[in-house]
Amino acid sequence: MKKIFCLIIFLIFLTINQGFSEEYRIIQVTDVLYNYTNSESETALKNLIQNLNSQKNVDFIVFTGNNLSKANQENLKKFLKELKQLKYPYYLTIGNKEVSKQKNLSKAEYFEILHKKVKSHKKIETQNYYICKKDIVFIVPEGAKDVISDSIGYYRPQTLDWIENIIKKFPNHNVVIIQHYPIIPPIKKEFKYTYKANEYLKLIEKYPNVKAVISGDFNTNCELEHNGILHISTQSAPHYRIIDVY
């Protein structure tokens, strides 16, 4: 019997509490821009965590970059300390604001801290990783720069090769890609367009089991389909997106 793959997407505001019952559920949170020296940011994160914990039947939460407002190890450690209050497993990737070699938080250092302090990252030792659940593989690549940080993402050739290898490794699994930078811009902001995005797009469109790309960065909600792949962009926190997959 042919497998059916569907995504049911809900944008959830912090003031709304709803429960759903589907086969597989993740929550995407993006662009939290946490700053432990700012009391409003501290309060906003606590409220976000409380609301995320109120959701039902969540398999995991993924924070899709720009989790911090500035690159700083203490900022990251304080952020992760707050996230310990989450009752669901969670994963993280990076955006352009939270890594900088000049500020003592390179990409390597960021993921090393995740590896040490986040339970779900204990077995993850690389900056690009995947999560295999049932017959779905979630691929989480990073496209940030940590030498000269800017708002343009770049998924390097070696990263694209890695993505393709993971897709080939699981030919009978549906694939969902989760990352910070959209491949297809949800709105016109040329200064944010991902570098050489067409190469990335051409790669994933070769594989019919790639079903969706979930991203943030643009602070807008958008769902568009291109050649059979659903491209989803989500508004910045405190908003978040519940995605049911079945």
Side-chain angles (χ1 to χ4, degrees):
M1 182 176 179
K2 186 178 179 180
K3 294 180 182 178
I4 298 174
F5 181 91
C6 297
L7 289 172
I8 298 180
I9 304 161
F10 302 91
L11 178 69
I12 302 296
F13 295 86
L14 284 176
T15 54
I16 299 175
N17 292 300
Q18 297 183 29
F20 305 95
S21 179
E22 298 292 342
E23 182 175 317
Y24 205 82
R25 169 166 295 173
I26 68 172
I27 294 180
Q28 179 205 7
V29 185
T30 194
D31 297 85
V32 175
L33 298 174
Y34 174 75
N35 181 353
Y36 78 96
T37 65
N38 183 299
S39 60
E40 291 184 2
S41 180
E42 287 263 290
T43 300
L45 180 59
K46 290 180 186 296
N47 289 341
L48 174 63
I49 290 169
Q50 183 179 15
N51 195 267
L52 291 170
N53 283 339
S54 73
Q55 300 302 330
K56 307 297 184 184
N57 305 318
V58 177
D59 289 278
F60 67 86
I61 298 166
V62 60
F63 292 83
T64 54
N66 281 358
N67 307 305
L68 311 178
S69 65
K70 57 184 178 181
N72 179 289
Q73 286 201 19
E74 188 64 19
N75 209 24
L76 176 57
K77 290 174 182 177
K78 295 278 189 181
F79 179 66
L80 297 179
K81 183 178 180 181
E82 292 293 338
L83 293 191
K84 286 183 178 180
Q85 303 304 313
L86 285 169
K87 69 180 186 180
Y88 297 113
Y90 62 91
Y91 298 88
L92 302 96
T93 190
I94 53 175
N96 57 289
K97 292 185 179 296
E98 59 216 311
V99 289
S100 171
K101 285 187 175 179
Q102 290 88 349
K103 297 180 181 178
N104 195 33
L105 189 57
S106 66
K107 291 192 286 188
E109 289 165 329
Y110 190 103
F111 282 95
E112 183 180 353
I113 291 170
L114 295 188
H115 178 65
K116 290 179 178 178
K117 294 188 173 293
V118 180
K119 183 177 180 180
S120 55
H121 278 261
K122 291 295 183 184
K123 296 183 179 180
I124 297 171
E125 298 182 353
T126 55
Q127 298 168 24
N128 301 307
Y129 60 94
Y130 66 90
I131 307 158
C132 188
K133 301 284 188 180
K134 300 178 183 176
D135 58 351
I136 301 169
V137 173
F138 299 91
I139 298 178
V140 190
E142 68 82 18
K145 306 168 189 173
D146 61 359
V147 179
I148 301 175
S149 182
D150 61 29
S151 58
I152 297 175
Y154 177 38
Y155 296 92
R156 294 165 176 77
Q158 59 266 38
T159 302
L160 298 185
D161 289 344
W162 175 84
I163 292 169
E164 186 165 27
N165 286 336
I166 300 303
I167 296 171
K168 288 179 177 179
K169 183 177 180 179
F170 296 98
N172 298 318
H173 286 61
N174 289 307
V175 173
V176 175
I177 298 172
I178 303 174
Q179 58 191 40
H180 181 65
Y181 304 96
I183 304 175
I184 298 179
I187 55 176
K188 188 173 181 180
K189 285 186 179 179
E190 292 187 12
F191 68 94
K192 281 180 160 290
Y193 288 2
T194 299
Y195 183 60
K196 293 188 175 180
N198 283 339
E199 294 180 7
Y200 193 166
L201 198 61
K202 284 168 61 177
L203 184 154
I204 62 174
E205 288 180 348
K206 293 190 300 182
Y207 297 95
N209 59 324
V210 177
K211 301 300 182 180
V213 178
I214 301 169
S215 61
D217 191 39
F218 276 68
N219 190 24
T220 191
N221 299 308
C222 180
E223 302 86 37
L224 59 90
E225 188 173 345
H226 188 272
N227 290 339
I229 299 175
L230 183 62
H231 294 261
I232 302 163
S233 295
T234 298
Q235 191 173 353
S236 304
H239 309 98
Y240 58 90
R241 195 181 285 268
I242 292 177
I243 303 172
D244 286 329
V245 184
Y246 67 92

